[in-house]
Amino acid sequence: MSASPWLVPLESSWFSYRGQLYSIKRKRAANGPYEARQEYLSVKAFNKAAISDLLTQASELHRDLKPDAIEVCVPLSRKERNAQSCPWSPPKSGPSRLPSTLELSAEAKMVLEDIGEFLKPETRKRYKELGLPYKRNLLFDGLPGTGKSSVASVLAALYHLRLYKINPSDVNLADEDLPRLMAATASNSIVLLDDLDRASLKNITTLDDSPRAGGISLTGLMDLLDSTIADGRIIIATCNERTMLQDVLTRPGRIDREISFPLISVENAKRMFRRFYVADLDSMDSDALVHKLGQQLVDGQVSPAMLERHFIRSSGPLEAIQHLGDMEGDVVPDRSTPRSMCTVQ
């Protein structure tokens, strides 16, 4: 920003910015410990373009101050939600990962571009012309450690979107909480529903689709995915086993796109190896070491997270290769054996 606004510290005041005069009213909320830190601002100007310019500049300034951080919100406890107007926790800033630090399949990488296209003003205009809700629902399918949640964080950082996390297995959430949570999310944001398949196995539904005590029903999840609260919101649901999800949750129109996150390929493992040990490999026969690494791996053998943890724990490239067979991690489950699940009556 080439100029900085000044603000008289009064409840109601005027300020000048970029040759425009603005009126601002400040009101502090005081309904609870979270809202005691909130302020409601009402800004008026002589034309809408001036307000739009002010908000754009403020957003850019915020990004410049924290270029590598993302804002994450989780639902407050039931007691706090009942006492306050905002059902989300205050946003917590945390470091994000860059796309270059993830070894992803070509399909997973395309998601980054797809969301970029979705967030363009012309895409928003197109949705409006067609009378469609401006939102995107994605399903990330892959075993634990394949990068599903990491990609959600990368998207939040890459496009400066706030990330809201909902655990479908949370017994403190019920169907009636979901519309309120969605209504309180910011426009152009991501809502992450993690491990949707595990939730459906535990406490989402019974055979008659009635929610158990302190849980979310299948109908509640469908209503969330069908929510008309759009305005650039992106819902990302993740699952470890795609076959465990009921078809009514993933039908076209409810899920716009499904993306598979496979276990790491040999080529991606080699790239990760070079990235982790770039300084060490400068003084070694790097090609020979990378080739030796590739000889000990096969495509789809380990998850990226498992291999990443092994490299972090190893003192150098030689030790990493020598103890490659000693990697500790979750056993890759056999997906060929079907498991029972609830059905919709």
Side-chain angles (χ1 to χ4, degrees):
M1 293 176 67
S2 57
S4 299
W6 55 267
L7 177 63
V8 178
L10 300 174
E11 183 174 323
S12 178
S13 60
W14 294 81
F15 70 93
S16 175
Y17 175 65
R18 284 189 168 183
Q20 296 287 340
L21 190 62
Y22 297 87
S23 168
I24 185 168
K25 290 185 178 181
R26 305 170 66 188
K27 181 179 179 182
R28 186 182 298 275
N31 293 336
Y34 164 39
E35 291 187 295
R37 298 191 297 271
Q38 266 192 339
E39 282 191 356
Y40 297 95
L41 302 181
S42 174
V43 181
K44 295 182 180 180
F46 290 102
N47 59 77
K48 292 183 178 179
I51 294 179
S52 177
D53 177 60
L54 178 69
L55 295 177
T56 299
Q57 294 300 314
S59 177
E60 291 179 356
L61 176 61
H62 176 72
R63 295 172 187 175
D64 292 341
L65 292 174
K66 296 182 177 181
D68 299 323
I70 60 174
E71 291 186 339
V72 180
C73 297
V74 297
L76 293 170
S77 68
R78 182 175 296 278
K79 181 179 180 180
E80 291 175 311
R81 291 198 304 271
N82 291 336
Q84 301 175 26
S85 61
C86 181
W88 294 98
S89 69
K92 294 184 178 180
S93 296
S96 64
R97 295 188 65 168
L98 298 174
S100 59
T101 66
L102 294 176
E103 308 303 335
L104 302 171
S105 65
E107 183 183 12
K109 289 179 180 177
M110 288 178 60
V111 178
L112 306 181
E113 300 178 6
D114 176 68
I115 294 301
E117 289 294 322
F118 170 74
L119 293 171
K120 288 183 177 179
E122 50 265 37
T123 304
R124 177 189 289 267
K125 181 180 178 182
R126 179 63 173 165
Y127 273 65
K128 184 177 181 180
E129 291 173 347
L130 294 173
L132 299 173
Y134 180 54
K135 64 177 184 177
R136 182 63 57 89
N137 291 351
L138 305 175
L139 176 64
F140 290 177
D141 167 36
L143 292 170
T146 50
K148 304 183 295 296
S149 298
S150 295
V151 168
S153 296
V154 166
L155 287 170
L158 193 60
Y159 298 111
H160 307 287
L161 309 174
R162 182 169 289 178
L163 181 62
Y164 297 89
K165 292 185 175 183
I166 296 178
N167 178 5
S169 298
D170 189 348
V171 296
N172 292 311
L173 291 178
D175 289 356
E176 58 267 23
D177 295 315
L178 299 181
R180 185 182 173 209
L181 286 168
M182 282 299 296
T185 58
S187 59
N188 284 7
S189 60
I190 295 176
V191 178
L192 179 63
L193 305 173
D194 243 339
D195 294 339
L196 205 58
D197 53 331
R198 292 188 179 183
S200 65
L201 290 173
K202 292 180 180 178
N203 62 2
I204 288 294
T205 62
T206 60
L207 287 177
D208 62 356
D209 191 34
S210 60
R212 298 179 182 176
I216 302 172
S217 72
L218 179 64
T219 300
L221 277 178
M222 291 191 293
D223 289 343
L224 175 63
L225 293 172
D226 295 339
S227 174
T228 57
I229 301 173
D231 199 24
R233 287 167 176 80
I234 301 163
I235 296 179
I236 297 177
T238 73
C239 68
N240 298 327
E241 296 185 65
R242 172 65 177 80
T243 57
M244 300 307 299
L245 295 180
Q246 299 190 32
D247 291 339
V248 291
L249 273 178
T250 60
R251 66 166 174 77
R254 186 159 285 149
I255 293 295
D256 300 308
R257 185 174 179 182
E258 297 186 22
I259 299 92
S260 177
F261 285 72
L263 295 172
I264 197 166
S265 66
V266 173
E267 289 305 311
N268 278 348
K270 291 178 178 179
R271 279 192 285 269
M272 182 187 292
F273 181 77
R274 288 184 181 276
R275 177 165 53 84
F276 264 80
Y277 302 114
V278 58
D280 302 276
L281 293 175
D282 285 342
S283 58
M284 301 179 180
D285 187 347
S286 60
D287 290 338
L289 287 174
V290 171
H291 178 71
K292 188 175 182 179
L293 174 82
Q295 288 182 318
Q296 298 186 46
L297 294 173
V298 295
D299 290 339
Q301 183 182 32
V302 297
S303 69
M306 189 187 302
L307 190 61
E308 187 177 73
R309 183 174 63 179
H310 174 69
F311 289 160
I312 291 175
R313 291 179 174 180
S314 301
S315 61
L318 294 177
E319 181 181 330
I321 293 177
Q322 182 180 357
H323 297 286
L324 199 60
D326 301 331
M327 278 191 296
E328 297 178 359
D330 297 330
V331 176
V332 177
D334 182 4
R335 287 187 166 183
S336 63
T337 304
R339 295 162 61 190
S340 61
M341 65 174 292
C342 302
T343 57
V344 179
Q345 302 294 316

